[in-house]
Amino acid sequence: MRIEPEIVTLGECLVSLVAVEHGPLAEADTFRRHVAGAEANVAVGLVRLGHPVAYIGRVGDDGFGTTILRRLRGEGVDTRCVRVEPDGGTGIMFRERRAVGPSEVLYRRAGSSGSRMGVEDVDAASEAGLFRNARLLHLTGITPALSPSCRSAVGAAIEQARAANLQVSLDLNLRRRLWADEEARPVLRGLVARADIVFASVEEAAVVAGNGSATAMTGGDPASRAAAVASALLDLGARRVALKLDAGAAGSYAADRPAVVVPAVPDVPLIDPVGAGDAFCAGYLAATLEGADEAAALALGNACGASVLGAEGDLAGAPSRAEADRLRRFTSGQSIR
Ligand code: KDG
């Protein structure tokens, strides 16, 4: 018997080849294969926490597409609306690992099957009944950056979600290797205006919020900067805003009344930070769907993010429910602002 999805998401799932050794990409000669893609990471994170997810997208009819499908299905993600393109190719990314500073990413995804998703994929998902009993549509700012057809697919998914009374969550996930801030800003602002829950780092939120909040980025403590950009996103039309402070290292912030700050899980060994933001979204969304308040949702998000930091790969460290609940105990010291 098929379990109906509670969450629907769409995007490009890629194979990520992650350097085994730390150092610059130019020196990397051995890579390990992982499944990646922000929405897929959130999907796996939610399923591991006990919330059924359906994924909409495309992969090529090649070995990497098979890897992705096996992984998603093995995790229990509903892939009935993932199309395998006979004439396509699965997107690939290469990722170096740095002990210090940000890691470089090399995309090989232009024209990939994932980037050829379009409105017809969303229509097919609707006809398959994916939206009928779901509660939430999760989107990221990566998908509209991939191609005009992907951008239209995101718009169509929001329309389907609205018609079926789903909430919409959006992680800004600004990817500067895919588009310039000037192109991204109006598109992401339009999506923020239609979202119920918006996730972002403070820096991404400032870019999307526009000039006014650039000033807010220069002064004050992290929570005041978070408050400034969160209020800009709320003004754009978002109903709830959850921010990662210092990429999650300083915890997270929700623009509630009053606002809530929950510190990060302390002393987490940093093996691989990529995917931690997606795990944060999964934890926050799971808790929210369970009726938790903002502080509890941030705490579960922080716990899931911390778990991903400790494992190589974009989704490998996403915790089970029991693991997340254990970690959550270390992140409950909330402060109210
Ligand atoms: O959030 C992690 C993602 O960035 C990663 O899994 C790959 O989706 C990805 C991207 O486009 O960079």
Side-chain angles (χ1 to χ4, degrees), residues 27-58:
E27 299 300 326
D29 55 12
T30 314
F31 296 84
R32 258 195 293 265
R33 189 204 63 202
H34 292 275
V35 168
E39 302 85 355
N41 301 338
V42 173
V44 168
L46 277 162
V47 168
R48 288 190 189 174
L49 293 172
H51 292 268
V53 183
Y55 187 89
I56 305 169
R58 296 188 192 189

Side-chain angles (χ1 to χ4, degrees), residues 14 36-38 41 93 107 109 142 173 175 178 274-275 278 314:
L14 311 134
N41 301 338
M93 59 186 273
Y107 289 130
R109 66 196 303 183
I142 297 172
N173 266 338
R175 293 287 181 269
L178 296 177
V274 176
D278 304 325
D314 304 38

Side-chain angles (χ1 to χ4, degrees), residues 13-300:
C13 194
L14 311 134
V15 155
S16 178
L17 297 170
V18 181
V20 172
E21 304 291 343
H22 282 80
L25 190 57
E27 299 300 326
D29 55 12
T30 314
F31 296 84
R32 258 195 293 265
R33 189 204 63 202
H34 292 275
V35 168
E39 302 85 355
N41 301 338
V42 173
V44 168
L46 277 162
V47 168
R48 288 190 189 174
L49 293 172
H51 292 268
V53 183
Y55 187 89
I56 305 169
R58 296 188 192 189
V59 293
D61 187 9
D62 50 39
F64 284 161
T66 306
T67 297
I68 287 170
L69 277 175
R70 284 184 183 158
R71 184 68 196 250
L72 293 181
R73 285 180 187 146
E75 295 283 352
V77 175
D78 180 338
T79 59
R80 77 184 112 145
C81 290
V82 178
R83 193 200 292 193
V84 180
E85 278 196 328
D87 62 340
T90 305
I92 305 171
M93 59 186 273
F94 297 85
R95 185 151 72 68
E96 65 179 20
R97 295 168 72 205
R98 296 260 184 178
V100 182
S103 296
E104 191 181 313
V105 166
L106 189 66
Y107 289 130
R108 288 293 175 264
R109 66 196 303 183
S112 65
S113 291
S115 68
R116 288 170 10 176
M117 176 173 59
V119 170
E120 61 275 28
D121 298 80
V122 175
D123 289 346
S126 169
E127 275 157 36
L130 247 55
F131 294 89
R132 202 175 300 134
N133 297 311
R135 296 175 62 198
L136 180 96
L137 169 72
H138 180 68
L139 303 168
T140 81
I142 297 172
T143 312
L146 298 176
S147 65
S149 69
C150 278
R151 203 173 291 179
S152 304
V154 167
I158 294 176
E159 273 158 34
Q160 292 288 351
R162 289 287 169 241
N165 265 329
L166 274 64
Q167 290 194 74
V168 176
S169 60
L170 167 73
D171 188 348
L172 292 185
N173 266 338
L174 182 65
R175 293 287 181 269
R176 288 181 160 133
R177 286 197 173 271
L178 296 177
W179 54 358
D181 290 359
E182 294 63 40
E183 190 189 355
R185 188 176 294 114
V187 176
L188 294 178
R189 286 169 74 92
L191 293 178
V192 168
R194 301 171 79 189
D196 297 289
I197 305 171
V198 175
F199 299 101
S201 67
V202 175
E203 294 71 22
E204 288 168 333
V207 170
V208 171
N211 290 339
S213 56
T215 328
M217 294 300 299
T218 55
D221 61 289
S224 320
R225 289 199 290 275
V229 292
S231 96
L233 295 183
L234 291 171
D235 287 347
L236 284 174
R239 295 190 189 176
R240 293 166 69 169
V241 174
L243 299 174
K244 291 154 275 180
L245 303 176
D246 190 13
S252 53
Y253 171 99
D256 210 355
R257 287 191 184 80
V260 182
V261 177
V262 176
V265 176
D267 306 323
V268 180
L270 180 59
I271 307 292
D272 183 358
V274 176
D278 304 325
F280 170 76
C281 291
Y284 180 97
L285 291 173
T288 299
L289 290 167
E290 291 157 19
D293 63 16
E294 291 287 8
L298 292 180
L300 190 61

